[in-house]
Amino acid sequence: MSDKFIPIQAYGKPAGGFGSLRGTARALTGYGPFPALQTLAHVNQPQGIDCPGCAYPDSPTDKAVDFCEQGAWAISHEATPKRATPAHFAAHTVSELRKNEEWQLEALGRLTAPMLYDRASDTYREIEWAQAFELAGASLRALDCPNRAVFYASGRSSNEAAFPYQLFARAFGTNNLPDSSNYCHEASGDALRLSIGVGKSTVTREDFEHAEAVFVFGQNPATNHPRMLGDLRHAKLRGCKIVVFNPLLERGLQKFTDPQAAGELLTGSSTPIADEYYQVRVGGDLAAITGIIKALLEADSRAPGLLDRAFIADHTQGFEALEAVVRVQDWPEIERSSGLSRAQMEQAAQLYAASNATISTWCMGLTQNEYAVETIQMLTNLMLLRGNVGKPGAGLMPVRGHSNVQGDRTVGVTSRPKAEWLQGLERVFGFTPPSAPGLDAVSVIRGLLDGSVHAFTSLGGNFAVAGPDSPRVLDALSRCKLTVHIATKLNRTHLYPGQTGLLLPCLGRTEHDDQAGCQQFVSVEDTASMVHASTGRNRPASEKLRSEPHIVTELARHTLPGSTIDWAGMGRDYDLTRELIERVAQGAVAGFEQYNANIRRKRGFHLPNTAALREWKTDSGKANFAPHALPQDGIMQRARAVHGDRVVCLATVRAHRQYNTTVYHDPTGEVDRYRGVHGTRKVLFIGPATLARLGFKDGDTVNLRAASVDGIERVVEGYRLVEYPIRGDDVFGYFPELTPLSSPDLTARGSNTPAFKQVPILIER
Ligand SMILES: Nc1nc2c(c(=O)[nH]1)N[C@H]1C(S)=C(S)[C@@H](COP(=O)(O)OP(=O)(O)OC[C@H]3O[C@@H](n4cnc5c(=O)[nH]c(N)nc54)[C@H](O)[C@@H]3O)O[C@H]1N2
Ligand SMILES: Nc1nc2c(c(=O)[nH]1)N[C@H]1C(S)=C(S)[C@@H](COP(=O)(O)OP(=O)(O)OC[C@H]3O[C@@H](n4cnc5c(=O)[nH]c(N)nc54)[C@H](O)[C@@H]3O)O[C@H]1N2
Ligand SMILES: [Mo]
């Protein structure tokens, strides 16, 4: 990234603190004297802007400041003064632009005008909006079947954009509505729906004030949900126990100085976060949780009273089956598979048993594994054993990524719609939507590779770079008849246009959205199911930008000329869209009654969570214990059977200075503060024992080759090995650069989430 190579240094300080304040200041100054500072004052405030950074809930009490360093970077990059103008595109062919790294594309700044790819000159050229819509509509109508088209959504768009988007796809005739959730928390939703009848968090931010223990699995909140660290710190100061499961010793989970707490900042003190830090193996959580359940059951049989028998009897089914499965798992196998000792799991069980209200949170460390659904169900089993669902201070909390990924799902963006939702669409709009499931993200990859997908539309995101096999998927996109990208910034996926290739620039969430003289606001749902308004204030980056709802509805109007749906109305009056969502949701999603009135309340409204109310919308009408034995086979075993025991397990993670595929350029060269990385992203963290076993040493430069079993070569070159305190054979590095090593065949069972944390690779000199 920068020419200056600063060696990797261990980060000895607590996370947060002045480093975080300095980082925030860099976000503000690195991009000039723009509206970002004013903008930040409104972030996550009532009547303000919802931070596009992450989906962590806002503070339920009034806080003058409720954003973080990472949010400041996300916002300052949207509010950048830099522009990727038509002149820039005229001066650089698409082939030239492809030579840029991700951060360089991002650094070009905001897109300013609608553009069409011109094959003869290999450039994107400005066109009129009306022409863009007509071209897209004509190409879509020319497809031989609606299922040739795909409508991808990244979870950053508002409900008011996502709702017409899914309506458009279905009125066009397809459920091909993959979303970033397919790459992310799909396994959480699948596991929870089967176990407790609802695929969302049962926890609200208030619960953190009452929890006696919080178990944090596979999550790095200092980088990805910094406001959560504030909640953990407060909980900790009250005496709540924090128990972490993570193969990496993440700094923020060890020690944290709250940059919003003046006392700690000035005295240089910090709060230790984790009471216990269990370094599980990658993919070892299933075994670790099995061990904790086993220890709990054993302790309860010695001294009864540790299980919530009344809850188990009244609210659950399947307890005996769970007991039977867990009883036959032996400790040596559990220890080997989890990477933890029996004593550690017994200790975790004791901490769990001593708490009367426990929250479990998790993120990508659990979902992007082959046995993700099984793992999350075992975690749910553990929580059910002590009635930790549906009481204050307790519950299950998948911590979502994109700021409105949950809302997009709620308003219908999914390739597997519920029958009630489709019935609602039929009732309100008078057409019969397709009922066959559509393609999820990984199935779209296959469809692109085998040529059965002909048209690709995206509402945000960086589809190809975010998913497995990116180089092949990018090439396949350029063989499409149509590509349409609705985006704020240029990214690599846009640089592989189809026969008709459109790039449509939209307003960001921070920007003032005026429709026919009337200011509009949008709504978003956070990970705790709070739906609240977001009102942009900044002057749009260009006069030619259109809002996402406008672009989506105009695309629909031009594609479906005979449609009786009021597309134009939804494009200019978001109250109408909310009214339509409310009507479709009747009988399908509870909580949208009086949407337009409630969204105008100070902090919006909460969508009720049936499991949190102990109503179980499952097949059995109870919370289901879903037992799973330890797997006898797995991605790593299969790869080792072909490539031998030099195969190691690569988990791809985020650095501090990035937002998914968006890599930020920090002028100081900082890449990943808490892991001590400066100057380069091409590092591979590796444990001392693995280094020795494979005959390498710290600092060696290596190539990484996927231990593929499908005969396809996947290689990245020029990585530096960094010795890091990792136990066992797991290695770690950054996505998106390492994503080309992932194969679409390696996914979580059932949910088809790519196993981005379990990529079998070989390290070569
Ligand atoms: N600033 C910033 N914020 C973000 C994002 C961003 O890129 N930048 N991305 C957003 C999105 S879309 C998402 S989904 C979230 C992602 O948030 P996280 O899930 O925190 O992100 P990752 O970097 O993927 O971190 C995964 C964590 O899991 C650990 N881990 C890996 N494998 C395993 C395992 O098998 N078991 C266990 N127990 N742990 C494991 C890793 O060591 C790491 O700490 O963040 C959201 N917020
Ligand atoms: N190897 C590996 N791969 C992963 C992961 C991993 O941990 N490891 N994590 C996965 C996860 S959890 C996720 S969620 C996916 C993310 O996958 P995506 O959501 O597809 O990717 P992003 O990088 O978030 O998308 C960034 C782009 O969104 C556009 N954008 C930004 N803001 C807006 C807006 O307001 N409106 C519109 N229309 N466009 C906007 C910009 O053009 C920007 O370039 O990546 C997945 N890929
Ligand atoms: Mo995500």
Side-chain angles (χ1 to χ4, degrees):
M1 301 190 52
S2 79
D3 303 337
K4 192 168 55 159
F5 185 80
I6 306 167
I8 289 150
Q9 291 161 343
Y11 184 82
K13 288 178 281 195
F18 278 116
S20 176
L21 285 187
R22 277 194 296 268
T24 309
R26 281 207 296 286
L28 300 179
T29 52
Y31 272 71
F34 52 82
L37 193 57
Q38 280 157 280
T39 309
L40 283 172
H42 297 286
V43 169
N44 297 334
Q45 298 297 328
Q47 275 87 51
I49 304 160
D50 179 72
C51 179
C54 76
Y56 198 69
D58 297 344
S59 169
T61 50
D62 285 318
K63 249 178 135 183
V65 184
D66 195 25
F67 66 90
C68 65
E69 175 192 357
Q70 302 300 69
W73 278 75
I75 285 182
S76 67
H77 279 68
E78 185 173 298
T80 172
K82 297 187 185 161
R83 300 287 178 266
T85 59
H88 188 87
F89 284 97
H92 300 275
T93 63
V94 162
S95 315
E96 272 167 54
L97 289 170
R98 285 179 189 171
K99 291 183 191 137
N100 287 295
E101 289 184 46
E102 311 307 317
W103 70 268
Q104 291 168 313
L105 296 176
E106 162 67 27
L108 291 176
R110 292 287 299 277
L111 297 167
T112 63
M115 282 178 293
L116 173 69
Y117 179 64
D118 173 54
R119 202 159 293 275
S121 61
D122 186 30
T123 54
Y124 267 112
R125 294 199 171 170
E126 181 171 358
I127 54 164
E128 295 299 318
W129 276 104
Q131 197 195 345
F133 295 136
E134 260 153 39
L135 277 170
S139 302
L140 283 168
R141 281 198 307 276
L143 297 175
D144 59 358
C145 148
N147 287 330
R148 297 285 190 205
V150 162
F151 298 83
Y152 175 70
S154 159
R156 208 147 160 175
S157 303
S158 61
N159 287 357
E160 290 75 0
F163 178 79
Y165 194 62
Q166 58 86 39
L167 184 62
F168 172 29
R170 297 192 167 114
F172 180 68
T174 183
N175 280 318
N176 287 347
L177 280 155
D179 64 353
S180 60
S181 212
N182 296 152
Y183 287 154
C184 185
H185 263 296
E186 196 68 46
S188 306
D190 284 346
L192 293 177
R193 260 189 304 279
L194 289 169
S195 291
I196 59 169
V198 47
K200 296 181 182 182
S201 166
T202 70
V203 174
T204 63
R205 206 165 165 190
E206 282 92 338
D207 284 314
F208 281 87
E209 292 163 20
H210 308 288
E212 294 181 21
V214 181
F215 280 45
V216 181
F217 289 88
Q219 191 184 354
N220 181 20
T223 287
N224 300 314
H225 303 94
R227 287 180 300 143
M228 178 171 161
L229 276 189
D231 286 350
L232 292 179
R233 171 178 168 277
H234 281 293
K236 174 77 184 192
L237 293 172
R238 272 193 305 106
C240 173
K241 297 279 187 240
I242 312 285
V243 182
V244 173
F245 294 81
N246 197 311
L248 285 184
L249 295 171
E250 302 287 23
R251 195 64 197 153
L253 290 167
Q254 298 173 286
K255 268 196 182 148
F256 173 58
T257 298
D258 190 344
Q260 296 184 12
E264 275 195 350
L265 258 187
L266 297 177
T267 56
S269 62
S270 62
T271 308
I273 298 291
D275 290 275
E276 293 301 333
Y277 204 119
Y278 297 117
Q279 269 187 286
V280 282
R281 283 180 38 190
V282 168
D285 305 83
L286 179 54
I289 297 163
T290 303
I292 299 170
I293 295 178
K294 189 175 174 77
L296 185 70
L297 294 175
E298 286 174 0
D300 183 74
S301 63
R302 286 192 303 272
L306 298 183
L307 307 184
D308 186 341
R309 297 275 176 187
F311 175 85
I312 293 172
D314 294 347
H315 289 284
T316 70
Q317 70 81 38
F319 172 70
E320 290 74 19
L322 174 72
E323 239 185 340
V325 166
V326 171
R327 195 180 314 119
V328 299
Q329 308 292 313
D330 346 315
W331 279 111
E333 175 64 10
I334 294 175
E335 289 183 311
R336 197 198 52 74
S337 175
S338 65
L340 302 180
S341 68
R342 175 174 178 173
Q344 285 177 306
M345 290 177 271
E346 286 173 344
Q347 180 195 37
Q350 266 174 25
L351 285 165
Y352 178 65
S355 154
N356 291 308
T358 303
I359 292 174
S360 284
T361 76
W362 68 93
C363 210
M364 297 302 102
L366 290 201
T367 64
Q368 294 174 339
N369 285 304
E370 186 178 20
Y371 288 90
V373 175
E374 290 84 349
T375 304
I376 296 161
Q377 289 194 317
M378 283 301 270
L379 178 57
T380 307
N381 296 337
L382 173 65
M383 296 291 281
L384 292 174
L385 287 173
R386 285 182 50 77
N388 276 314
V389 180
K391 71 179 175 190
L396 290 153
M397 186 179 203
V399 185
R400 306 266 164 195
H402 273 303
S403 52
N404 196 39
V405 64
Q406 189 160 311
D408 286 3
R409 272 290 167 95
T410 305
V411 301
V413 175
T414 171
S415 53
R416 291 182 289 165
K418 283 198 298 193
E420 295 84 357
W421 183 260
L422 298 180
Q423 286 152 14
L425 293 177
E426 177 151 13
R427 194 180 61 241
V428 174
F429 296 105
F431 74 97
T432 307
S435 55
L439 302 174
D440 64 9
V442 168
S443 310
V444 169
I445 289 177
R446 282 188 219 296
L448 284 165
L449 294 176
D450 70 21
S452 57
V453 167
H454 295 177
F456 183 88
T457 300
S458 72
L459 180 57
N462 189 359
F463 177 78
V465 174
D469 256 354
S470 18
R472 297 169 69 220
V473 177
L474 288 167
D475 281 337
L477 275 171
S478 54
R479 293 192 294 271
C480 280
K481 293 190 171 136
L482 173 70
T483 53
V484 182
H485 300 291
I486 304 168
T488 49
K489 291 268 183 91
L490 184 67
N491 64 47
R492 191 166 306 284
T493 300
H494 307 153
L495 295 177
Y496 291 77
Q499 247 165 55
T500 301
L502 290 161
L503 192 45
L504 308 180
C506 63
L507 293 173
R509 202 177 284 170
T510 55
E511 288 164 326
H512 186 83
D513 182 357
D514 187 277
Q515 300 290 338
C518 188
Q519 179 172 13
Q520 303 292 316
F521 66 87
V522 296
S523 37
V524 294
E525 176 185 338
D526 66 30
T527 203
S529 305
M530 283 300 298
V531 183
H532 51 92
S534 178
T535 314
R537 291 168 182 271
N538 292 348
R539 208 168 90 202
S542 146
E543 281 176 2
K544 291 184 180 152
L545 299 186
R546 296 286 179 269
S547 76
E548 290 179 336
H550 174 87
I551 298 172
V552 168
T553 51
E554 284 300 285
L555 284 171
R557 209 163 64 81
H558 286 80
T559 307
L560 308 166
S563 170
T564 53
I565 296 170
D566 186 3
W567 299 109
M570 279 189 275
R572 66 171 177 261
D573 173 8
Y574 305 170
D575 274 348
L576 171 64
T577 311
R578 287 184 284 266
E579 194 187 308
L580 292 167
I581 293 174
E582 177 177 339
R583 286 171 54 198
V584 172
Q586 272 168 30
V589 190
F592 276 114
E593 301 76 23
Q594 312 263 326
Y595 191 172
N596 271 310
N598 290 337
I599 195 70
R600 288 175 164 83
R601 296 203 322 226
K602 195 170 170 193
R603 296 205 179 267
F605 59 97
H606 183 242
L607 294 177
N609 180 297
T610 44
L613 301 168
R614 296 197 168 171
E615 286 166 31
W616 313 105
K617 303 260 181 196
T618 57
D619 293 353
S620 65
K622 301 262 182 174
N624 292 319
F625 281 107
H628 297 286
L630 296 189
Q632 297 306 308
D633 164 58
I635 288 176
M636 296 311 296
Q637 283 98 318
R638 292 195 297 276
R640 285 189 180 123
V642 177
H643 298 273
D645 66 2
R646 290 182 68 85
V647 174
V648 294
C649 175
L650 166 68
T652 53
V653 295
R654 291 153 173 80
H656 198 60
R657 279 284 167 262
Q658 78 182 76
Y659 195 91
N660 296 340
T661 66
T662 301
V663 175
Y664 302 129
H665 181 60
D666 187 327
T668 67
E670 185 171 280
V671 166
D672 201 3
R673 184 186 310 143
Y674 304 135
R675 299 190 189 113
V677 181
H678 295 257
T680 177
R681 291 175 53 92
K682 293 181 79 175
V683 294
L684 189 78
F685 300 106
I686 182 167
T690 314
L691 265 181
R693 181 173 78 83
L694 298 179
F696 291 111
K697 57 183 193 321
D698 181 49
D700 280 354
T701 301
V702 294
N703 295 340
L704 308 177
R705 175 183 301 278
S708 303
V709 291
D710 58 7
I712 293 173
E713 183 167 278
R714 300 179 177 90
V715 184
V716 297
E717 293 179 347
Y719 270 70
R720 175 177 158 180
L721 295 179
V722 174
E723 184 175 327
Y724 210 73
I726 298 165
R727 302 164 64 236
D729 263 351
D730 304 321
V731 297
F732 294 77
Y734 302 127
F735 104 94
E737 292 86 343
L738 288 172
T739 312
L741 297 174
S742 283
S743 149
D745 290 339
L746 304 181
T747 62
R749 288 150 36 105
S751 70
N752 218 15
T753 317
F756 290 127
K757 303 291 187 261
Q758 277 180 318
V759 186
I761 61 161
L762 292 160
I763 304 176
E764 297 174 344
R765 215 168 278 281

